[in-house]
Every structure is written in C-alpha cells, then in structure tokens.
Amino acid sequence: MLKVVKFGGSSMADAVQYQKVRAIVRSDEARRVVVVSAAGKRFSEDHKLTDLLYLCHAHLKYGVSCDSVFAMITQRYLDIQKELGLHVDLTPELEALREKMRHGISEDELVSRGEYFSAKLMADYLGYPFIDASKWLKFNFDATVNKEESYQALKLLVGDGCAVIPGFYGAMPDGSIKTFSRGGSDITGALAAAALDADVYENWTDVSGILMADPRIVENPKPIARITYTELRELSYIGAQVLHEATIFPVREKNIPLNIRNTNEPENPGTVICEAFENDTADDSQRFITGIAGKKGYSIITIAKNGFSSTAGVQRQILEIFENHGINVEYTPNGIDSLSLVVQSQGLGDSLYSVLGELQKAFEPDSLDVTEGISIVAAVGRKMAFRPGISGKIFAALGSQGINIRMISQGPQEVNIIVGVDDRDFAKTVRVLYDSFVK
C-alpha cells in the first residue's frame, strides 16, 4: 500500500511541527512519499515564508534592499536545522540564492525556494531521498501541466522507494522554474498521488477535515466524515474554503481517496473524499445534508416578455450578451416568459448599464429589473435525490423564520438546493438550515 502525504505550511512552521510530521509519517509504513509546503505562521502575528519571499522580490524590483527580510527567512530555516540537530547544511545554498538575487532572479524561482528548503530539511529529518520538483513536474509552454511526462518521470525517480518532494513548483520546457498559484502545494501532492497510483492521498493541515458549515457563522459545526467529489465541488464552488480547486482533479481521475487530516490532532480520522461510497454509515443514513455553504455579493437581472417561451434561441442570445462583456452567469432560473440571470456583482463592474442597454435594444422586454444585495446559499447532499419533499421542508424552515427567498435553483443531479436571499439574511439562512436539518 502507498500513501502520498502532503503537509501544509502550518505543519512546517517550526521544529515542533517537524517532530509531529515525523511521528505521523513513521506511524504508518505506507506513508512513503511526502510533499511539503514552505514554513507557515508560528503564531498569528508571524509571517509565512512565501509571503516574505514575495516581499523580497518586490524589494528587488524597485531597487530596495531586502537584506533584513532575507535574514528573517534564513534564520527561520537555520533555527529548524539547529533545533532538530540535522546534518544537512543549508548555508551554502542560502548564500548562493542571495548572490543570485543580486544578479537577477525570476519571481517564480525565488518564491519556490520556501518549499525547496523545507523539503531539504524534512528529507534529512526523515532519512528519505530528496527529489526536486523541477526534476519531474513538467509544465507546457501554456503553463498547463504535462501530466504524461510528469507522471512517467516521478515513477522512475521514486520507484518502490521513499521520497520528500517540495510542493508549489515545477519546470517549464526551457528548464526555468514555474509556480502554481498560492496553495499550489496541494496540487503537487495530488499530482504525485496520481502519478504513483497511490492508494490514498492524505492532505495534512491545521483543521480536522471539512466542517458542515462555516464556524464563523455556526457555532461548533459538525465535521463531515465522508463526502463525494461531486459534493465537494458543489461546496467549493458556492464558497466553502476547502482545498485549492485544482487539487481535486488529478486524484479524482484516478479514483484515489483524498483524506484531509489535522497534523495537531493525528488521531482524528478527518474527512474522506471519494467518487462514491458503497455502503452508508449510520450517520450517512440519518443525514441528507452533507454541508451548507454560500457567499454574498450577487445581483439578479430579470428580463420578461410575453412569448419568450415560444421563441427559439432567446436564452442563447441573452447569454451571448453577457459573454461578450466577459460576465460569468452563475445561475439561470426561469419562468414561462421570464429569465433571471444571477451574476456576481463585482463581475458586473462598469458593464451593467451597457448590458441592460443591449438587452433592451435586442428584445424590447416588458420589464427589465436588477436586484442587488443577494446572497446565494446552498444545501448540498448526495442523499437529497432519495428523500421526497426536501425542497418543501427547506422552504418551510426558512419561511417560518421570516426569510424571503428571492431565487431557487436545483440541478438535475439533485445534489444541491440553492436559494437566493437578501444579504442581510445570509448568516441567518445558514444557521436556520443547519439548526433545522443537522442538529
């Protein structure tokens, strides 16, 4: 059995966290491939090393000395090295990096060194070989990952052995360093798991899995023990801060379970994410809502005209107007002779009146209305399709609390029920749904 394990910045913050990581890895011999992030915050006022590296590059760009910032970075890693009594000597490489910074270095290469040095230290601490991400993770010229070449390279490098790999970056075809967007170490871990056909991909962080609702809104929400990739995608899209979005796809393609765990509570099983679950647990059987998520800041544009329902191509023409302005339409609830388009208000920008003008000119509608200050809240659950009357129960629960529903949408897969409410009712809506169907 093979488990690819990824540890985030909070797990790599200092020597104490390194000790926790080693204990986790050593507790299971299947944990043979370890992907690490750069050192994160040790306390709330601390700095992530990746942030400091970005700051160094900004200083260099404008000709400002970054000596003091780089000294902080150097000291963090040397402190970990000293406290753990490691044999690897980072000083020559740190000095070489500083010299390269004086003569010109790309932003991607500079910020990637946070993961690079973390992996160097962890490899020495675990006694595992170090594999530089640039040796296997290959980007195409359009910045997409060349999966075929990358997967083949990592298989050859790891074989049946062990390895520690830095996350967040790889190499372009010309050999230059290319990074993912922030949070990209999650993607590296998922790609490594897919490349090696791992049995499980464990993502270790500072939370014990995924919660059923935002803890800033719901007090002590229950954890989600098991969730499908489809449900996770729905929750992520609607606003739940779970994983870097691109993390899901490499392991989902290979049907590899993803387990989110807490480095500070290693005994907690966390959340398991799979394509499907063959058997229900007792908790699964009793609960039809897997999670609740949402976000504010939407607008609803409603266009109505008698005869819309019998006119071919109307919806396509309307959507084309939004597309021409680069506006993404999130939902399109409709009536017989009306169509509503739900968009993020920020995405409308200065285009609102141009869009309204084009709609008016093209269709001469009976009415054209804009409703702003809308929040979207979704109840997501794979069991919804098998429970009659769920929508009615949700609407009744919200109505009993005086919450006015401005929009309703439910996909054909019946894995979610989405409602639009006024922004002022956003938090209340989440709490009502949670209290009514989870507690």
Side-chain angles (χ1 to χ4, degrees), residues 390-416:
I390 295 304
S391 297
K393 292 177 182 178
I394 288 177
F395 303 149
L398 295 176
S400 69
Q401 297 299 313
I403 297 172
N404 185 30
I405 299 174
R406 309 297 299 271
M407 183 275 289
I408 301 167
S409 179
Q410 183 171 21
Q413 288 183 304
E414 296 186 58
V415 75
N416 64 17

PDB file of all heavy atoms in Angstrom, residues 390-416:
ATOM      1  N   ILE A 390     -37.892  17.270   0.224  1.00  0.00           N
ATOM      2  CA  ILE A 390     -36.788  18.006   0.848  1.00  0.00           C
ATOM      3  C   ILE A 390     -36.897  19.503   0.567  1.00  0.00           C
ATOM      4  O   ILE A 390     -36.739  20.333   1.467  1.00  0.00           O
ATOM      5  CB  ILE A 390     -35.432  17.469   0.354  1.00  0.00           C
ATOM      6  CG1 ILE A 390     -35.234  16.025   0.816  1.00  0.00           C
ATOM      7  CG2 ILE A 390     -34.289  18.351   0.874  1.00  0.00           C
ATOM      8  CD1 ILE A 390     -35.337  15.838   2.310  1.00  0.00           C
ATOM      9  N   SER A 391     -37.165  19.849  -0.683  1.00  0.00           N
ATOM     10  CA  SER A 391     -37.258  21.274  -1.033  1.00  0.00           C
ATOM     11  C   SER A 391     -38.318  21.959  -0.196  1.00  0.00           C
ATOM     12  O   SER A 391     -38.097  23.058   0.344  1.00  0.00           O
ATOM     13  CB  SER A 391     -37.586  21.434  -2.515  1.00  0.00           C
ATOM     14  OG  SER A 391     -36.558  20.913  -3.322  1.00  0.00           O
ATOM     15  N   GLY A 392     -39.484  21.315  -0.074  1.00  0.00           N
ATOM     16  CA  GLY A 392     -40.568  21.900   0.706  1.00  0.00           C
ATOM     17  C   GLY A 392     -40.183  22.116   2.154  1.00  0.00           C
ATOM     18  O   GLY A 392     -40.521  23.145   2.757  1.00  0.00           O
ATOM     19  N   LYS A 393     -39.459  21.164   2.743  1.00  0.00           N
ATOM     20  CA  LYS A 393     -39.037  21.295   4.138  1.00  0.00           C
ATOM     21  C   LYS A 393     -38.060  22.461   4.307  1.00  0.00           C
ATOM     22  O   LYS A 393     -38.117  23.190   5.295  1.00  0.00           O
ATOM     23  CB  LYS A 393     -38.392  19.990   4.603  1.00  0.00           C
ATOM     24  CG  LYS A 393     -39.369  18.831   4.714  1.00  0.00           C
ATOM     25  CD  LYS A 393     -38.656  17.548   5.115  1.00  0.00           C
ATOM     26  CE  LYS A 393     -39.641  16.383   5.183  1.00  0.00           C
ATOM     27  NZ  LYS A 393     -38.949  15.101   5.518  1.00  0.00           N
ATOM     28  N   ILE A 394     -37.160  22.606   3.346  1.00  0.00           N
ATOM     29  CA  ILE A 394     -36.195  23.713   3.420  1.00  0.00           C
ATOM     30  C   ILE A 394     -36.905  25.054   3.303  1.00  0.00           C
ATOM     31  O   ILE A 394     -36.658  25.976   4.090  1.00  0.00           O
ATOM     32  CB  ILE A 394     -35.125  23.552   2.321  1.00  0.00           C
ATOM     33  CG1 ILE A 394     -34.182  22.389   2.671  1.00  0.00           C
ATOM     34  CG2 ILE A 394     -34.335  24.849   2.124  1.00  0.00           C
ATOM     35  CD1 ILE A 394     -33.144  22.093   1.619  1.00  0.00           C
ATOM     36  N   PHE A 395     -37.822  25.174   2.338  1.00  0.00           N
ATOM     37  CA  PHE A 395     -38.525  26.438   2.158  1.00  0.00           C
ATOM     38  C   PHE A 395     -39.397  26.748   3.373  1.00  0.00           C
ATOM     39  O   PHE A 395     -39.503  27.908   3.790  1.00  0.00           O
ATOM     40  CB  PHE A 395     -39.384  26.393   0.887  1.00  0.00           C
ATOM     41  CG  PHE A 395     -38.594  26.085  -0.360  1.00  0.00           C
ATOM     42  CD1 PHE A 395     -39.169  25.397  -1.406  1.00  0.00           C
ATOM     43  CD2 PHE A 395     -37.267  26.474  -0.471  1.00  0.00           C
ATOM     44  CE1 PHE A 395     -38.454  25.107  -2.556  1.00  0.00           C
ATOM     45  CE2 PHE A 395     -36.528  26.183  -1.614  1.00  0.00           C
ATOM     46  CZ  PHE A 395     -37.134  25.494  -2.654  1.00  0.00           C
ATOM     47  N   ALA A 396     -40.007  25.715   3.957  1.00  0.00           N
ATOM     48  CA  ALA A 396     -40.845  25.919   5.141  1.00  0.00           C
ATOM     49  C   ALA A 396     -40.009  26.397   6.323  1.00  0.00           C
ATOM     50  O   ALA A 396     -40.428  27.290   7.076  1.00  0.00           O
ATOM     51  CB  ALA A 396     -41.572  24.624   5.495  1.00  0.00           C
ATOM     52  N   ALA A 397     -38.813  25.803   6.476  1.00  0.00           N
ATOM     53  CA  ALA A 397     -37.942  26.193   7.587  1.00  0.00           C
ATOM     54  C   ALA A 397     -37.511  27.649   7.446  1.00  0.00           C
ATOM     55  O   ALA A 397     -37.521  28.414   8.422  1.00  0.00           O
ATOM     56  CB  ALA A 397     -36.720  25.281   7.636  1.00  0.00           C
ATOM     57  N   LEU A 398     -37.165  28.057   6.237  1.00  0.00           N
ATOM     58  CA  LEU A 398     -36.740  29.442   6.023  1.00  0.00           C
ATOM     59  C   LEU A 398     -37.919  30.406   6.178  1.00  0.00           C
ATOM     60  O   LEU A 398     -37.794  31.472   6.780  1.00  0.00           O
ATOM     61  CB  LEU A 398     -36.116  29.589   4.635  1.00  0.00           C
ATOM     62  CG  LEU A 398     -34.814  28.806   4.392  1.00  0.00           C
ATOM     63  CD1 LEU A 398     -34.351  28.961   2.944  1.00  0.00           C
ATOM     64  CD2 LEU A 398     -33.718  29.273   5.344  1.00  0.00           C
ATOM     65  N   GLY A 399     -39.074  30.019   5.656  1.00  0.00           N
ATOM     66  CA  GLY A 399     -40.252  30.872   5.765  1.00  0.00           C
ATOM     67  C   GLY A 399     -40.695  31.084   7.197  1.00  0.00           C
ATOM     68  O   GLY A 399     -41.133  32.182   7.570  1.00  0.00           O
ATOM     69  N   SER A 400     -40.590  30.043   8.015  1.00  0.00           N
ATOM     70  CA  SER A 400     -41.005  30.154   9.416  1.00  0.00           C
ATOM     71  C   SER A 400     -40.151  31.145  10.189  1.00  0.00           C
ATOM     72  O   SER A 400     -40.565  31.650  11.230  1.00  0.00           O
ATOM     73  CB  SER A 400     -40.948  28.779  10.094  1.00  0.00           C
ATOM     74  OG  SER A 400     -39.599  28.341  10.240  1.00  0.00           O
ATOM     75  N   GLN A 401     -38.938  31.416   9.661  1.00  0.00           N
ATOM     76  CA  GLN A 401     -38.039  32.368  10.321  1.00  0.00           C
ATOM     77  C   GLN A 401     -38.054  33.741   9.638  1.00  0.00           C
ATOM     78  O   GLN A 401     -37.182  34.574   9.888  1.00  0.00           O
ATOM     79  CB  GLN A 401     -36.619  31.808  10.329  1.00  0.00           C
ATOM     80  CG  GLN A 401     -36.469  30.521  11.131  1.00  0.00           C
ATOM     81  CD  GLN A 401     -36.826  30.711  12.583  1.00  0.00           C
ATOM     82  OE1 GLN A 401     -36.390  31.675  13.219  1.00  0.00           O
ATOM     83  NE2 GLN A 401     -37.619  29.795  13.131  1.00  0.00           N
ATOM     84  N   GLY A 402     -39.037  33.940   8.757  1.00  0.00           N
ATOM     85  CA  GLY A 402     -39.197  35.236   8.115  1.00  0.00           C
ATOM     86  C   GLY A 402     -38.166  35.544   7.053  1.00  0.00           C
ATOM     87  O   GLY A 402     -37.929  36.724   6.732  1.00  0.00           O
ATOM     88  N   ILE A 403     -37.546  34.510   6.483  1.00  0.00           N
ATOM     89  CA  ILE A 403     -36.536  34.716   5.439  1.00  0.00           C
ATOM     90  C   ILE A 403     -37.209  34.649   4.073  1.00  0.00           C
ATOM     91  O   ILE A 403     -37.812  33.624   3.716  1.00  0.00           O
ATOM     92  CB  ILE A 403     -35.420  33.662   5.537  1.00  0.00           C
ATOM     93  CG1 ILE A 403     -34.690  33.810   6.880  1.00  0.00           C
ATOM     94  CG2 ILE A 403     -34.443  33.799   4.368  1.00  0.00           C
ATOM     95  CD1 ILE A 403     -33.697  32.703   7.162  1.00  0.00           C
ATOM     96  N   ASN A 404     -37.097  35.714   3.301  1.00  0.00           N
ATOM     97  CA  ASN A 404     -37.715  35.795   1.989  1.00  0.00           C
ATOM     98  C   ASN A 404     -36.778  35.213   0.933  1.00  0.00           C
ATOM     99  O   ASN A 404     -35.645  35.679   0.770  1.00  0.00           O
ATOM    100  CB  ASN A 404     -38.031  37.257   1.650  1.00  0.00           C
ATOM    101  CG  ASN A 404     -38.780  37.399   0.342  1.00  0.00           C
ATOM    102  OD1 ASN A 404     -39.536  36.515  -0.049  1.00  0.00           O
ATOM    103  ND2 ASN A 404     -38.576  38.520  -0.335  1.00  0.00           N
ATOM    104  N   ILE A 405     -37.235  34.211   0.221  1.00  0.00           N
ATOM    105  CA  ILE A 405     -36.427  33.562  -0.811  1.00  0.00           C
ATOM    106  C   ILE A 405     -36.604  34.312  -2.124  1.00  0.00           C
ATOM    107  O   ILE A 405     -37.716  34.424  -2.641  1.00  0.00           O
ATOM    108  CB  ILE A 405     -36.827  32.077  -0.978  1.00  0.00           C
ATOM    109  CG1 ILE A 405     -36.600  31.325   0.334  1.00  0.00           C
ATOM    110  CG2 ILE A 405     -36.032  31.428  -2.098  1.00  0.00           C
ATOM    111  CD1 ILE A 405     -37.097  29.896   0.319  1.00  0.00           C
ATOM    112  N   ARG A 406     -35.514  34.827  -2.660  1.00  0.00           N
ATOM    113  CA  ARG A 406     -35.565  35.634  -3.888  1.00  0.00           C
ATOM    114  C   ARG A 406     -35.277  34.819  -5.145  1.00  0.00           C
ATOM    115  O   ARG A 406     -35.545  35.263  -6.254  1.00  0.00           O
ATOM    116  CB  ARG A 406     -34.544  36.774  -3.798  1.00  0.00           C
ATOM    117  CG  ARG A 406     -34.629  37.599  -2.518  1.00  0.00           C
ATOM    118  CD  ARG A 406     -35.976  38.302  -2.406  1.00  0.00           C
ATOM    119  NE  ARG A 406     -36.222  39.218  -3.505  1.00  0.00           N
ATOM    120  CZ  ARG A 406     -35.844  40.500  -3.491  1.00  0.00           C
ATOM    121  NH1 ARG A 406     -35.238  41.010  -2.428  1.00  0.00           N
ATOM    122  NH2 ARG A 406     -36.108  41.282  -4.514  1.00  0.00           N
ATOM    123  N   MET A 407     -34.679  33.636  -4.966  1.00  0.00           N
ATOM    124  CA  MET A 407     -34.321  32.801  -6.114  1.00  0.00           C
ATOM    125  C   MET A 407     -34.185  31.353  -5.653  1.00  0.00           C
ATOM    126  O   MET A 407     -33.723  31.092  -4.544  1.00  0.00           O
ATOM    127  CB  MET A 407     -33.008  33.298  -6.721  1.00  0.00           C
ATOM    128  CG  MET A 407     -32.543  32.555  -7.983  1.00  0.00           C
ATOM    129  SD  MET A 407     -31.596  31.033  -7.677  1.00  0.00           S
ATOM    130  CE  MET A 407     -30.073  31.709  -7.052  1.00  0.00           C
ATOM    131  N   ILE A 408     -34.581  30.415  -6.505  1.00  0.00           N
ATOM    132  CA  ILE A 408     -34.474  28.991  -6.205  1.00  0.00           C
ATOM    133  C   ILE A 408     -33.862  28.293  -7.411  1.00  0.00           C
ATOM    134  O   ILE A 408     -34.210  28.573  -8.559  1.00  0.00           O
ATOM    135  CB  ILE A 408     -35.853  28.362  -5.924  1.00  0.00           C
ATOM    136  CG1 ILE A 408     -36.541  29.049  -4.737  1.00  0.00           C
ATOM    137  CG2 ILE A 408     -35.719  26.867  -5.646  1.00  0.00           C
ATOM    138  CD1 ILE A 408     -38.015  28.704  -4.612  1.00  0.00           C
ATOM    139  N   SER A 409     -32.937  27.383  -7.151  1.00  0.00           N
ATOM    140  CA  SER A 409     -32.336  26.597  -8.238  1.00  0.00           C
ATOM    141  C   SER A 409     -31.978  25.214  -7.713  1.00  0.00           C
ATOM    142  O   SER A 409     -31.467  25.079  -6.597  1.00  0.00           O
ATOM    143  CB  SER A 409     -31.079  27.293  -8.779  1.00  0.00           C
ATOM    144  OG  SER A 409     -30.475  26.531  -9.805  1.00  0.00           O
ATOM    145  N   GLN A 410     -32.260  24.201  -8.512  1.00  0.00           N
ATOM    146  CA  GLN A 410     -31.857  22.839  -8.158  1.00  0.00           C
ATOM    147  C   GLN A 410     -31.414  22.126  -9.421  1.00  0.00           C
ATOM    148  O   GLN A 410     -32.143  22.098 -10.416  1.00  0.00           O
ATOM    149  CB  GLN A 410     -32.986  22.060  -7.496  1.00  0.00           C
ATOM    150  CG  GLN A 410     -32.569  20.667  -7.043  1.00  0.00           C
ATOM    151  CD  GLN A 410     -33.628  19.974  -6.198  1.00  0.00           C
ATOM    152  OE1 GLN A 410     -34.799  20.326  -6.256  1.00  0.00           O
ATOM    153  NE2 GLN A 410     -33.225  18.994  -5.420  1.00  0.00           N
ATOM    154  N   GLY A 411     -30.195  21.564  -9.386  1.00  0.00           N
ATOM    155  CA  GLY A 411     -29.647  20.899 -10.556  1.00  0.00           C
ATOM    156  C   GLY A 411     -30.299  19.553 -10.814  1.00  0.00           C
ATOM    157  O   GLY A 411     -30.918  18.966  -9.923  1.00  0.00           O
ATOM    158  N   PRO A 412     -30.162  19.031 -12.041  1.00  0.00           N
ATOM    159  CA  PRO A 412     -30.777  17.742 -12.398  1.00  0.00           C
ATOM    160  C   PRO A 412     -30.213  16.568 -11.606  1.00  0.00           C
ATOM    161  O   PRO A 412     -30.880  15.543 -11.464  1.00  0.00           O
ATOM    162  CB  PRO A 412     -30.470  17.606 -13.896  1.00  0.00           C
ATOM    163  CG  PRO A 412     -29.311  18.523 -14.138  1.00  0.00           C
ATOM    164  CD  PRO A 412     -29.480  19.648 -13.177  1.00  0.00           C
ATOM    165  N   GLN A 413     -28.986  16.697 -11.092  1.00  0.00           N
ATOM    166  CA  GLN A 413     -28.427  15.621 -10.281  1.00  0.00           C
ATOM    167  C   GLN A 413     -29.048  15.578  -8.888  1.00  0.00           C
ATOM    168  O   GLN A 413     -28.867  14.616  -8.160  1.00  0.00           O
ATOM    169  CB  GLN A 413     -26.905  15.790 -10.140  1.00  0.00           C
ATOM    170  CG  GLN A 413     -26.127  15.497 -11.406  1.00  0.00           C
ATOM    171  CD  GLN A 413     -24.631  15.620 -11.177  1.00  0.00           C
ATOM    172  OE1 GLN A 413     -24.130  16.649 -10.743  1.00  0.00           O
ATOM    173  NE2 GLN A 413     -23.919  14.546 -11.458  1.00  0.00           N
ATOM    174  N   GLU A 414     -29.755  16.631  -8.534  1.00  0.00           N
ATOM    175  CA  GLU A 414     -30.422  16.730  -7.235  1.00  0.00           C
ATOM    176  C   GLU A 414     -29.451  16.553  -6.079  1.00  0.00           C
ATOM    177  O   GLU A 414     -29.772  15.969  -5.052  1.00  0.00           O
ATOM    178  CB  GLU A 414     -31.566  15.710  -7.134  1.00  0.00           C
ATOM    179  CG  GLU A 414     -32.683  15.953  -8.134  1.00  0.00           C
ATOM    180  CD  GLU A 414     -33.859  15.036  -7.926  1.00  0.00           C
ATOM    181  OE1 GLU A 414     -34.430  15.044  -6.824  1.00  0.00           O
ATOM    182  OE2 GLU A 414     -34.209  14.303  -8.863  1.00  0.00           O
ATOM    183  N   VAL A 415     -28.231  17.084  -6.267  1.00  0.00           N
ATOM    184  CA  VAL A 415     -27.236  17.020  -5.198  1.00  0.00           C
ATOM    185  C   VAL A 415     -27.194  18.315  -4.406  1.00  0.00           C
ATOM    186  O   VAL A 415     -26.531  18.408  -3.390  1.00  0.00           O
ATOM    187  CB  VAL A 415     -25.845  16.685  -5.771  1.00  0.00           C
ATOM    188  CG1 VAL A 415     -25.236  17.900  -6.466  1.00  0.00           C
ATOM    189  CG2 VAL A 415     -24.910  16.146  -4.704  1.00  0.00           C
ATOM    190  N   ASN A 416     -27.965  19.314  -4.863  1.00  0.00           N
ATOM    191  CA  ASN A 416     -27.990  20.582  -4.121  1.00  0.00           C
ATOM    192  C   ASN A 416     -29.321  21.286  -4.295  1.00  0.00           C
ATOM    193  O   ASN A 416     -30.068  21.036  -5.240  1.00  0.00           O
ATOM    194  CB  ASN A 416     -26.852  21.505  -4.556  1.00  0.00           C
ATOM    195  CG  ASN A 416     -26.970  21.932  -6.012  1.00  0.00           C
ATOM    196  OD1 ASN A 416     -28.022  21.820  -6.627  1.00  0.00           O
ATOM    197  ND2 ASN A 416     -25.891  22.426  -6.585  1.00  0.00           N
TER     198      ASN A 416
END
